[in-house]
Amino acid sequence: MMEGYLHKMADLTATAAASPNIALIKYWGNRVDPLRLPANGSISMNLDGLEARTRVTFDPSFITDQFILNHHQANSADLSRVSVFLDLVRQMAGSHLYATVESRNNFPIGAGVASSAAAYAALSLAAAKAIGLDLNEIELSRLARRGSGSACRSVPGGFVEWLPGRSDRDSFAVTLAPARHWDLVDCITLISRLPKPVGSTEGHTLAKSSPFQKARVADTDRRLELCRGAILARDFKALSTVVELDSNMMHAVMITSQPTLLYLMPGSITVMQAVIHWRNNGLPVCYTLDAGPNVHVLCPAESAKEVSLRLEQLPGINQVLLAHPGGPAHLIEQI
Ligand code: PMV
């Protein structure tokens, strides 16, 4: 895909950290599945304090790739996804070396906190550095996209927009505003820690089967514009209107796909209804859900304490994690 990149002297090992992101305008469905070229553009906020830390070590003595996830050998599906991704990196570098990938997350995997976004953003940076590829932020974002679409948005920092592009070359994410631009808080309300039954890679392929997907995609530029404007003007009211609408539109597509994808659980609905009620009574707050039951409740930092206290008192809530806007993927010394 990206031949001709300058090689630096490779240390063959490197470690990187990246945050997950919460989509404010969602990516759902691909125009071209294998390249993860999205059906529509999207906007997100990186989540500070939550991170994946990944060390990649290439070694001429290895006869296969290895993937250790949270201290355990990964299952064969996860290993093969990582290996296919490393093939891309090897192809770019003109290398045949296998690698050991060791990754740790400090947040639950597979339940609507985008673990694959953080994982593939960290893996892209660590693998590129270890093998001696000299990639700029755009090139890294393109590479991360191939591992998991939303991972391209965890490469740059702060509030980020994924420009959908028309080809592999022009589909990548850029910072709209740095993390310090606006102190929003995502009160991540954990309803379930169980892995989701249908992962998003499979979910994207079902999007087309919903009669609502065409309408959702056709209306995306309008929502992107509203969201961009709200972020740049730090207008929480405008942001909450478009963010909730966008989340509801994506879940409407999911629920009307064949087969049906129903990620919402009773606890999700309890939180969504409470958020609407609180907002109608003057608290600045809104909800959004990715591909899972957990509800991301957004509010300005001044209201975060009040919002998280209220959330903790609702029935069926496992835990509430608070995350402010986070920075870009970055290299670190140790895992
Ligand atoms: O990057 P993926 O394939 O895990 O897809 C992410 C899809 C959503 O989280 C539901 C929406 C988004 O834009 O992050």
Side-chain angles (χ1 to χ4, degrees):
M1 69 181 273
M2 301 185 205
E3 297 80 14
Y5 289 92
L6 274 183
H7 289 208
K8 285 185 168 169
M9 279 300 289
D11 292 333
L12 297 186
T13 186
T15 310
S19 296
N21 62 75
I22 177 63
L24 304 174
I25 300 296
K26 313 290 186 189
Y27 145 57
W28 195 244
N30 289 319
R31 275 192 306 113
V32 183
D33 273 320
L35 288 174
R36 297 184 195 267
L37 294 178
N40 61 277
S42 54
I43 293 180
S44 59
M45 176 180 112
N46 282 357
L47 300 175
D48 192 39
L50 311 185
E51 63 177 17
R53 296 166 80 93
T54 302
R55 177 170 58 212
V56 178
T57 306
F58 290 94
D59 190 314
S61 72
F62 294 164
I63 51 166
T64 177
D65 292 322
Q66 256 213 84
F67 179 27
I68 299 157
L69 179 58
N70 293 324
H71 306 282
H72 300 286
Q73 291 284 348
N75 64 39
S76 59
D78 287 346
L79 170 61
S80 106
R81 183 165 168 184
V82 162
S83 233
V84 166
F85 181 79
L86 288 174
D87 286 343
L88 267 176
V89 176
R90 285 186 274 259
Q91 189 191 323
M92 287 165 68
S95 165
H96 296 285
L97 298 182
Y98 289 109
T100 291
V101 174
E102 197 182 341
S103 193
R104 293 180 201 161
N105 279 4
N106 67 356
F107 58 95
I109 291 192
V113 182
S115 54
S116 61
Y120 278 93
L123 177 58
S124 301
L125 181 54
K129 171 77 180 160
I131 211 160
L133 285 170
D134 190 16
L135 302 187
N136 63 28
E137 190 177 89
I138 287 177
E139 290 155 351
L140 267 176
S141 176
R142 284 172 54 207
L143 175 61
R145 191 197 79 234
R146 303 289 296 273
S148 176
S150 58
C152 77
R153 297 189 313 238
S154 279
V155 171
F159 298 86
V160 172
E161 178 162 3
W162 177 3
L163 310 168
R166 306 194 59 79
S167 68
D168 170 51
R169 287 219 148 254
D170 57 1
S171 187
F172 53 82
V174 294
T175 294
L176 273 179
R180 63 173 183 284
H181 168 72
W182 194 7
D183 198 5
L184 283 185
V185 175
D186 181 0
C187 307
I188 307 163
T189 309
L190 301 186
I191 311 282
S192 162
R193 284 174 178 271
L194 295 174
K196 52 197 170 200
V198 178
S200 41
T201 300
E202 191 184 340
H204 290 297
T205 66
L206 299 179
K208 282 190 204 77
S209 68
S210 163
F212 292 169
Q213 171 73 347
K214 251 195 191 138
R216 190 192 72 86
V217 170
D219 182 61
T220 306
D221 283 346
R222 186 186 71 88
R223 297 192 310 285
L224 285 169
E225 175 134 14
L226 288 170
C227 185
R228 233 180 266 129
I231 290 171
L232 295 178
R234 300 188 196 88
D235 180 344
F236 188 79
K237 194 160 182 277
L239 186 80
S240 41
T241 307
V242 71
V243 163
E244 266 188 24
L245 170 68
D246 188 85
S247 173
N248 290 341
M249 285 173 82
M250 181 183 72
H251 283 272
V253 167
M254 291 166 161
I255 294 167
T256 51
S257 293
Q258 299 295 319
T260 300
L261 268 183
L262 181 58
Y263 287 116
L264 308 180
M265 293 189 14
S268 324
I269 306 283
T270 302
V271 176
M272 291 158 79
Q273 283 181 327
V275 166
I276 294 170
H277 178 70
W278 298 337
R279 187 173 58 248
N280 289 343
N281 287 283
L283 194 64
V285 66
C286 70
Y287 67 74
T288 184
L289 294 87
D290 278 348
N294 298 325
V295 189
H296 295 253
V297 179
L298 301 173
C299 63
E302 311 82 75
S303 314
K305 206 166 164 206
E306 172 71 19
V307 170
S308 67
L309 279 176
R310 289 191 191 193
L311 287 169
E312 277 160 10
Q313 282 159 17
L314 293 176
I317 303 309
N318 229 302
Q319 198 186 352
V320 181
L321 306 170
L322 300 193
H324 295 256
H330 55 282
L331 291 166
I332 53 178
E333 288 299 316
Q334 287 180 15
I335 188 162

Short mmCIF file of all heavy atoms in Angstrom, two decimals, residues 21 23 25-28 36 42 81 114 116 148-151 153 200-201 204 250 254 290-291, ligand 1:
data_model
loop_
_atom_site.label_atom_id
_atom_site.label_comp_id
_atom_site.label_asym_id
_atom_site.label_seq_id
_atom_site.Cartn_x
_atom_site.Cartn_y
_atom_site.Cartn_z
N ASN A 21 -11.37 6.41 21.63
CA ASN A 21 -12.10 7.66 21.36
C ASN A 21 -13.59 7.37 21.39
O ASN A 21 -14.02 6.25 21.13
CB ASN A 21 -11.67 8.28 20.03
CG ASN A 21 -11.97 7.38 18.83
OD1 ASN A 21 -13.12 7.25 18.41
ND2 ASN A 21 -10.92 6.74 18.28
N ALA A 23 -17.04 8.33 19.53
CA ALA A 23 -17.52 8.98 18.31
C ALA A 23 -18.67 9.92 18.66
O ALA A 23 -19.63 9.52 19.33
CB ALA A 23 -17.98 7.91 17.32
N ILE A 25 -19.93 11.91 16.00
CA ILE A 25 -20.64 11.57 14.76
C ILE A 25 -20.08 10.21 14.35
O ILE A 25 -18.86 10.07 14.19
CB ILE A 25 -20.40 12.62 13.65
CG1 ILE A 25 -20.88 14.01 14.09
CG2 ILE A 25 -21.08 12.19 12.33
CD1 ILE A 25 -22.37 14.16 14.34
N LYS A 26 -20.95 9.23 14.21
CA LYS A 26 -20.50 7.84 14.10
C LYS A 26 -20.10 7.42 12.70
O LYS A 26 -20.72 7.85 11.71
CB LYS A 26 -21.61 6.88 14.54
CG LYS A 26 -22.31 7.21 15.82
CD LYS A 26 -21.45 7.02 17.04
CE LYS A 26 -22.20 7.22 18.33
NZ LYS A 26 -21.30 7.24 19.49
N TYR A 27 -19.14 6.52 12.67
CA TYR A 27 -18.77 5.76 11.46
C TYR A 27 -19.52 4.44 11.54
O TYR A 27 -19.37 3.71 12.52
CB TYR A 27 -17.25 5.57 11.50
CG TYR A 27 -16.69 4.29 10.96
CD1 TYR A 27 -16.95 3.87 9.65
CD2 TYR A 27 -15.83 3.51 11.74
CE1 TYR A 27 -16.38 2.69 9.16
CE2 TYR A 27 -15.27 2.33 11.25
CZ TYR A 27 -15.54 1.92 9.97
OH TYR A 27 -14.99 0.78 9.48
N TRP A 28 -20.34 4.15 10.56
CA TRP A 28 -21.02 2.84 10.56
C TRP A 28 -21.23 2.38 9.13
O TRP A 28 -21.97 3.01 8.37
CB TRP A 28 -22.35 2.89 11.33
CG TRP A 28 -22.86 1.51 11.65
CD1 TRP A 28 -24.02 0.94 11.20
CD2 TRP A 28 -22.22 0.52 12.47
NE1 TRP A 28 -24.13 -0.35 11.69
CE2 TRP A 28 -23.04 -0.62 12.47
CE3 TRP A 28 -21.02 0.48 13.19
CZ2 TRP A 28 -22.70 -1.79 13.18
CZ3 TRP A 28 -20.68 -0.67 13.90
CH2 TRP A 28 -21.53 -1.78 13.88
N ARG A 36 -11.34 -0.67 4.72
CA ARG A 36 -12.04 0.12 5.75
C ARG A 36 -12.17 1.58 5.30
O ARG A 36 -11.82 2.51 6.03
CB ARG A 36 -11.33 0.01 7.11
CG ARG A 36 -11.33 -1.42 7.65
CD ARG A 36 -10.71 -1.52 9.02
NE ARG A 36 -10.40 -2.89 9.39
CZ ARG A 36 -11.19 -3.72 10.08
NH1 ARG A 36 -12.34 -3.31 10.51
NH2 ARG A 36 -10.81 -4.95 10.35
N SER A 42 -16.66 11.03 10.09
CA SER A 42 -17.04 10.94 11.51
C SER A 42 -16.15 11.88 12.35
O SER A 42 -15.12 12.35 11.88
CB SER A 42 -16.91 9.50 11.99
OG SER A 42 -15.61 8.98 11.73
N ARG A 81 -5.86 -11.45 13.20
CA ARG A 81 -6.12 -10.04 12.80
C ARG A 81 -4.84 -9.20 12.97
O ARG A 81 -4.50 -8.39 12.11
CB ARG A 81 -7.26 -9.49 13.65
CG ARG A 81 -7.68 -8.09 13.29
CD ARG A 81 -9.02 -7.75 13.90
NE ARG A 81 -9.31 -6.31 13.79
CZ ARG A 81 -10.38 -5.72 14.31
NH1 ARG A 81 -11.27 -6.44 14.97
NH2 ARG A 81 -10.57 -4.43 14.18
N ALA A 114 -14.12 1.91 22.87
CA ALA A 114 -13.51 1.40 21.64
C ALA A 114 -12.10 0.86 21.87
O ALA A 114 -11.11 1.53 21.63
CB ALA A 114 -13.49 2.50 20.59
N SER A 116 -10.53 -1.52 20.26
CA SER A 116 -9.74 -1.80 19.06
C SER A 116 -9.16 -0.49 18.50
O SER A 116 -8.09 -0.51 17.89
CB SER A 116 -10.57 -2.50 18.00
OG SER A 116 -11.65 -1.70 17.61
N SER A 148 -8.43 -1.11 12.33
CA SER A 148 -9.79 -0.88 12.83
C SER A 148 -10.12 0.54 12.39
O SER A 148 -9.34 1.45 12.68
CB SER A 148 -9.79 -1.00 14.35
OG SER A 148 -11.05 -0.69 14.88
N GLY A 149 -11.24 0.72 11.71
CA GLY A 149 -11.53 2.04 11.14
C GLY A 149 -11.36 3.16 12.15
O GLY A 149 -10.62 4.13 11.92
N SER A 150 -12.02 3.03 13.29
CA SER A 150 -12.01 4.12 14.26
C SER A 150 -10.63 4.35 14.86
O SER A 150 -10.38 5.39 15.48
CB SER A 150 -13.03 3.86 15.37
OG SER A 150 -12.74 2.63 16.01
N ALA A 151 -9.69 3.40 14.66
CA ALA A 151 -8.33 3.58 15.18
C ALA A 151 -7.63 4.76 14.50
O ALA A 151 -6.75 5.39 15.09
CB ALA A 151 -7.51 2.32 14.97
N ARG A 153 -8.75 7.55 14.16
CA ARG A 153 -9.07 8.76 14.92
C ARG A 153 -8.35 8.80 16.27
O ARG A 153 -8.40 9.81 16.96
CB ARG A 153 -10.59 8.85 15.15
CG ARG A 153 -11.44 8.99 13.89
CD ARG A 153 -12.90 9.30 14.25
NE ARG A 153 -13.35 8.41 15.29
CZ ARG A 153 -14.40 7.58 15.20
NH1 ARG A 153 -15.17 7.60 14.12
NH2 ARG A 153 -14.70 6.78 16.19
N SER A 200 -17.70 -5.01 15.71
CA SER A 200 -18.05 -3.97 14.75
C SER A 200 -17.60 -4.31 13.33
O SER A 200 -18.26 -3.91 12.38
CB SER A 200 -17.54 -2.60 15.20
OG SER A 200 -16.28 -2.70 15.74
N THR A 201 -16.52 -5.09 13.17
CA THR A 201 -16.10 -5.44 11.80
C THR A 201 -17.25 -6.15 11.08
O THR A 201 -17.59 -5.82 9.93
CB THR A 201 -14.84 -6.33 11.82
OG1 THR A 201 -13.80 -5.60 12.47
CG2 THR A 201 -14.38 -6.72 10.43
N HIS A 204 -20.33 -3.64 10.53
CA HIS A 204 -20.24 -2.73 9.37
C HIS A 204 -20.81 -3.39 8.10
O HIS A 204 -21.41 -2.72 7.28
CB HIS A 204 -18.78 -2.33 9.11
CG HIS A 204 -18.22 -1.43 10.17
ND1 HIS A 204 -18.72 -0.17 10.41
CD2 HIS A 204 -17.21 -1.59 11.05
CE1 HIS A 204 -18.05 0.40 11.39
NE2 HIS A 204 -17.13 -0.45 11.81
N MET A 250 -27.63 5.90 14.25
CA MET A 250 -26.82 4.69 14.05
C MET A 250 -27.52 3.48 14.67
O MET A 250 -27.57 2.40 14.07
CB MET A 250 -25.43 4.84 14.63
CG MET A 250 -24.58 3.59 14.41
SD MET A 250 -22.94 3.67 15.14
CE MET A 250 -23.33 3.53 16.88
N MET A 254 -28.78 -0.09 13.15
CA MET A 254 -28.40 -1.40 13.71
C MET A 254 -29.63 -2.26 13.99
O MET A 254 -29.69 -3.43 13.65
CB MET A 254 -27.62 -1.19 15.01
CG MET A 254 -26.24 -0.58 14.81
SD MET A 254 -25.59 0.01 16.38
CE MET A 254 -23.84 0.12 16.00
N ASP A 290 -21.67 3.73 21.37
CA ASP A 290 -21.03 3.08 20.23
C ASP A 290 -21.64 1.67 20.07
O ASP A 290 -22.78 1.48 20.42
CB ASP A 290 -19.51 3.07 20.41
CG ASP A 290 -18.88 4.41 19.99
OD1 ASP A 290 -19.57 5.23 19.37
OD2 ASP A 290 -17.69 4.62 20.28
N ALA A 291 -20.86 0.72 19.59
CA ALA A 291 -21.43 -0.60 19.34
C ALA A 291 -21.39 -1.44 20.61
O ALA A 291 -20.64 -2.40 20.73
CB ALA A 291 -20.67 -1.28 18.22
O1 PMV B 1 -13.51 0.90 14.19
P1 PMV B 1 -14.58 -0.09 14.38
O2 PMV B 1 -14.63 -1.08 13.28
O3 PMV B 1 -14.47 -0.74 15.75
O4 PMV B 1 -16.00 0.64 14.32
C1 PMV B 1 -16.41 1.58 15.27
C2 PMV B 1 -17.86 1.81 15.15
C3 PMV B 1 -18.49 2.68 16.24
O5 PMV B 1 -17.74 2.66 17.41
C4 PMV B 1 -19.88 2.12 16.53
C5 PMV B 1 -18.67 4.11 15.74
C6 PMV B 1 -17.42 4.93 15.66
O6 PMV B 1 -17.41 5.85 14.83
O7 PMV B 1 -16.48 4.73 16.45
#
